[in-house]
Each structure stands twice: as structure tokens, then as C-alpha cells.
């Protein structure tokens, strides 16, 4: 049962990663960063998205402790420490690159499966731009620091 729980947790983490990548792409975290408490209606208006979908995703982010929910005011808050990780590309803790890369792999398992049969390689170009963008995002600050100091 312990192993079942681990496999399920890994799957849930992968879905959360994809949701995070989608949140970055749609501007959800940038719109919440520094904005204080927002209702789902206010956030949907800021980013031009369907309120029901925004509310459903926010609920998922509350359960994952990405955002906080104000029960008395029916509002959502992205804490500053979380905004540094999710919405500030200049923050040393900005960590959305891994989530962005994940999306590139989903739906592409046929190519590596075939490579195991044929020994043909699967190149980065086979995964689309998400892999490049995610890796660049993940490595950007480290590379910039090394280029300047070294």
C-alpha cells in the first residue's frame, strides 16, 4: 500500500506541475503577485479568463498550499514567498522551469517508446518549445550569475 501511495502521489505531483505551468502561461501568478486578497471574479477579470475555471484551479491551489483562501471574504492570496517562486523571473527562487518542461513530455511518450524498440534517438526538437523554454527558465539565473562572475 505504501508503494501505491507513492505512485499515486507522483501522478498527482505531475498533474500539479502541469497546472502550475498553465498558471504561469495564463498569467495567473503574475496577476496575483502583490495584489493582496482577490476574489475569483477579480482574478478572472484581471487575466481575461473564465471565472469558473479560475475558481476551480484556485481551489486546487489551495489544497496544494500554493495560495491561501480567506473563508470569511471568499478571496485568494498568493503569499509573497510563493510569488517569488511562481511569478518573479528575477528571483533566485523562481522555479517554474521544471513545470514548463513537464508539459513538453506529456503526449509525447510514443517517440521514446519507439526509441526503446529501434534504438533511434529522440531529440529535444521532438518535444516542442516547452522543453527549451522550461530548461532556459530553470537555468537562466544560474547562467547569468556564472557569466557575470566568471
Amino acid at each position: 500500500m505504501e508503494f501505491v501511495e507513492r505512485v499515486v502521489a507522483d501522478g498527482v505531483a505531475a498533474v500539479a506541475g502541469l497546472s502550475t505551468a498553465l498558471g504561469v502561461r495564463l498569467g495567473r501568478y503574475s496577476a496575483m503577485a502583490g495584489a493582496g486578497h482577490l476574489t475569483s471574479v477579480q482574478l478572472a477579470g484581471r487575466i481575461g479568463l473564465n471565472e469558473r475555471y479560475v475558481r476551480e484551479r484556485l481551489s486546487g491551489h489551495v489544497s496544494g498550499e500554493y495560495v491561501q483562501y480567506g473563508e470569511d471574504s471568499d478571496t485568494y492570496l498568493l503569499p509573497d514567498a510563493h510569488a517569488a517562486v511562481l511569478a518573479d523571473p528575477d528571483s533566485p527562487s523562481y522555479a517554474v522551469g521544471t513545470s514548463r518542461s513537464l508539459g513538453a513530455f506529456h503526449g509525447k511518450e510514443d517517440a521514446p517508446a519507439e526509441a526503446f524498440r529501434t534504438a533511434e534517438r529522440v531529440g529535444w526538437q521532438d518535444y516542442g518549445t516547452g522543453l527549451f523554454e522550461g530548461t532556459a527558465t530553470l537555468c537562466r539565473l544560474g547562467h547569468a550569475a556564472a557569466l557575470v562572475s566568471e
Side-chain angles (χ1 to χ4, degrees):
M1 197 59 194
E2 206 173 290
F3 184 63
V4 169
E5 290 173 1
R6 180 178 178 179
V7 170
V8 170
D10 287 349
V12 169
V15 171
L18 290 172
S19 177
T20 300
L22 188 58
V24 170
R25 182 176 176 177
L26 295 174
R28 185 181 322 138
Y29 308 116
S30 296
M32 292 183 79
H37 294 267
L38 296 170
T39 65
S40 58
V41 171
Q42 290 170 320
L43 180 58
R46 281 177 171 233
I47 53 180
L49 298 176
N50 178 279
E51 185 275 333
R52 187 188 104 213
Y53 288 179
V54 168
R55 182 174 14 94
E56 288 175 1
R57 236 354 29 231
L58 285 169
S59 295
H61 282 329
V62 169
S63 67
E65 299 180 350
Y66 279 45
V67 300
Q68 296 171 350
Y69 178 65
E71 193 170 335
D72 294 342
S73 57
D74 193 27
T75 58
Y76 301 87
L77 173 71
L78 181 66
D80 290 341
H82 296 197
V85 175
L86 298 169
D88 182 0
D90 294 324
S91 166
S93 59
Y94 189 61
V96 299
T98 52
S99 296
R100 180 73 176 112
S101 295
L102 266 177
F105 292 106
H106 284 272
K108 299 289 186 173
E109 65 263 4
D110 290 346
E114 187 61 23
F116 272 90
R117 291 183 188 91
T118 64
E120 294 293 322
R121 66 183 290 272
V122 179
W124 279 54
Q125 72 279 1
D126 297 319
Y127 291 102
T129 59
L131 183 57
F132 294 101
E133 292 168 3
T135 302
T137 298
L138 186 63
C139 298
R140 183 179 72 80
L141 291 173
H143 288 165
L147 287 171
V148 171
S149 65
E150 297 175 27

